[in-house]
Amino acid sequence: MVHAFLALLICQLAGEALTRAAGLPVPGPVAGMLLMLALIRLSARMRDLLRPVAETILAHLSLLFVPAGVGVMGHMTTLGSQTMAIAAAIVGSTVLAIAAGALTFVLVARLTGSGDD
Amino acid sequence: MTSLADFWSYLSEGPLVWLTATLLAYAIGDACFRGSGRVPLVNPVLVAVALLAGLLFVTRTDYPTYFEGAKFVHFLLGPATVALALPLYDNLGRLRRALLPVLAALLAGSLTAALSALAIARAFGVGDTLLASLAPKSATAPVAIGIAERIGGSPTLTAVLVILTGITGAVVATPLLNLLRIRDWRARGFALGVASHGIGTARAFQVNRTAGAFAGLGMAMNALATAILAPAILPLFL
């Protein structure tokens, strides 16, 4: 478990270093994810090591957003008179974006014959 | 009574109370979610945040004090993002076969998110700073904040909009996608990850592993797409 966590942290650290050094517009952890992907493709041992820890963390991924969510609550008042406009923009755009993304995916999958197994 | 007050002031100095409260609030939120028969509106994050916000208000605790304890949980977001490599690996074959649908859905989802948010806000007569903060809100928080700063938005406001977008996506996705009769887990997950980043991805993992893997992928790809698209789209609305 310690080794798996160490591997996660090292990939994140390498990702942070890489994105900063190269000035990439992606966050360090996302670059770290790609590094980890390369690592577990190469090593079955790494894969087995990572699996239990990764599955535990990802099963409770929602929990990790709670502190940031509480921070948002404190700023709700700063939205002030524009609360309605923001609520409409957020809800409207999120509904439209999910619908557009999913419908496009299904349509292109059908056109290119790349259905799921 | 004095000793109780002393004990409280001693405890509230350290991270223990608020770390415990964060985990407890989430455990309650998760229990509510399961107890409700997994109704999306009873989102564990939403319940936990509401409980904690109430508790902070009642105990007159400010956010920095709360965050002293909660930061341990918050910190795990980075390693958790790295851990998304595993479900991605498990779905690599699927992903290769779905390359074109993935790219098309990324473009459609990312463009729709930014364009429709700006169009709706503009219709309400929203100001330029708010528009600039709104444009990158579907990207994961660190990326969205970086973009917003570059195009004249407010970092704090962007953080708020990003979280609200995530929670909205997590709550509406299941009923919306059922209504659209989309049964492909890849499409459902990917669209949610693109529109609602990590919070959407967390929601996708609650429903289906394939959906979760594709949501994580959508989040990662939209971080990049938003960095390119948002600065290009914003000037159309200023």
Side-chain angles (χ1 to χ4, degrees):
Chain A
M1 190 208 143
V2 173
H3 290 105
F5 208 77
L6 179 62
L8 287 174
L9 291 180
I10 289 175
C11 283
Q12 189 185 348
L13 195 60
E16 296 284 3
L18 199 72
T19 49
R20 266 163 210 263
L24 300 176
V26 294
V30 170
M33 174 178 85
L34 297 175
L35 291 174
M36 179 59 93
L37 183 62
L39 214 59
I40 58 178
R41 282 192 72 190
L42 292 172
S43 158
R45 222 184 125 217
M46 191 66 226
R47 216 145 57 222
D48 297 338
L49 189 70
L50 182 66
R51 192 169 294 278
V53 172
E55 303 218 311
T56 307
I57 297 182
L58 294 177
H60 297 286
L61 190 55
S62 302
L63 162 68
L64 312 187
F65 292 96
V66 171
V70 176
V72 166
M73 283 298 183
H75 284 103
M76 289 301 247
T77 47
T78 60
L79 302 181
S81 58
Q82 303 197 291
T83 305
M84 267 310 293
I86 291 172
I90 295 276
V91 174
S93 69
T94 306
V95 166
L96 289 172
I98 294 174
L103 288 171
T104 305
F105 193 112
V106 169
L107 184 71
V108 176
R110 203 167 293 162
L111 289 175
T112 58
S114 42
D116 205 0
D117 8 69
Chain B
M1 192 63 209
T2 323
S3 67
L4 192 65
D6 284 347
F7 184 57
W8 171 249
S9 70
Y10 160 73
L11 272 184
S12 57
E13 292 292 306
L16 179 62
V17 171
W18 296 113
L19 180 58
T20 310
T22 302
L23 290 177
L24 181 63
Y26 179 75
I28 294 172
D30 203 41
C32 291
F33 175 61
R34 285 164 204 278
S36 72
R38 300 179 163 260
V39 175
L41 193 60
V42 192
N43 183 284
V45 181
L46 204 56
V47 174
V49 166
L51 287 173
L52 287 164
L55 194 59
L56 291 186
F57 182 76
V58 169
T59 58
R60 297 163 177 269
T61 306
D62 58 7
Y63 186 68
T65 306
Y66 165 75
F67 196 72
E68 271 305 301
K71 69 184 176 192
F72 301 103
V73 171
H74 182 75
F75 171 78
L76 287 173
L77 276 174
T81 307
V82 178
L84 285 171
L86 188 74
L88 207 53
Y89 171 84
D90 292 338
N91 285 283
L92 268 184
R94 269 206 165 94
L95 183 62
R96 272 203 205 94
R97 287 193 297 279
L99 201 59
L100 283 175
V102 157
L103 290 175
L106 171 66
L107 202 63
S110 191
L111 278 175
T112 306
L115 285 173
S116 63
L118 291 172
I120 294 169
R122 180 94 275 187
F124 275 90
V126 155
D128 290 356
T129 310
L130 187 48
L131 286 180
S133 311
L134 201 54
K137 51 90 193 163
S138 278
T140 181
V143 175
I145 290 167
I147 297 168
E149 277 176 331
R150 233 170 42 232
I151 59 180
S154 141
T156 316
L157 196 54
T158 304
V160 173
L161 299 173
V162 167
I163 300 279
L164 291 177
T165 301
I167 292 178
T168 303
V171 170
V172 304
T174 298
L176 173 63
L177 293 164
N178 288 346
L179 192 71
L180 294 172
R181 299 203 180 137
I182 291 167
R183 291 188 192 87
D184 188 331
W185 288 117
R186 303 170 304 166
R188 292 176 70 115
F190 190 78
L192 184 53
V194 167
S196 297
H197 54 87
I199 302 182
T201 302
R203 167 66 189 151
F205 270 112
Q206 285 174 346
V207 180
N208 178 280
R209 237 183 94 76
T210 303
F214 273 80
L217 179 73
M219 170 186 74
M221 292 180 82
N222 196 31
L224 199 62
T226 305
I228 298 164
L229 293 175
I233 291 172
L234 180 67
L236 305 175
F237 292 87
L238 293 181

